[in-house]
Amino acid sequence: MAKQVNKSMLIHEIIEVDPGNAAILMASGMHCVGCPSAAMETLEEACMVHGMDVEEVCTSINEYLAKKEAN
């Protein structure tokens, strides 16, 4: 089963699941993924600060992880 992320995970945990997730976060508009304080925010908190839809970001990351697992 493919790894999955959820909105309550910390940003650093999401990047630890797969470093490629950082690129998805940055492409979504979250350009501060390397910031130490951002690493301690949940995905939901970070999306709220950036005016992003947490469900869309979660879906994008989980689709990426599922495709990677399938290959």
Side-chain angles (χ1 to χ4, degrees):
M1 182 175 185
K3 296 175 187 168
Q4 290 201 329
V5 302
N6 63 64
K7 63 185 178 183
S8 64
M9 292 177 73
L10 299 176
I11 298 298
H12 81 87
E13 292 173 327
I14 292 169
I15 295 171
E16 284 176 6
V17 167
D18 188 296
N21 291 335
I24 295 169
L25 293 170
M26 289 190 293
S28 297
M30 197 177 298
H31 301 284
C32 57
V33 295
C35 172
S37 58
M40 296 310 295
E41 286 182 326
T42 65
L43 180 59
E44 186 171 34
E45 291 167 338
C47 285
M48 190 175 9
V49 168
H50 292 281
M52 299 163 62
D53 183 326
V54 68
E55 298 302 331
E56 284 182 20
V57 176
C58 247
T59 298
S60 295
I61 292 172
N62 286 325
E63 285 175 354
Y64 161 77
L65 293 172
K67 285 178 188 174
K68 191 170 181 183
E69 179 95 0
N71 289 333

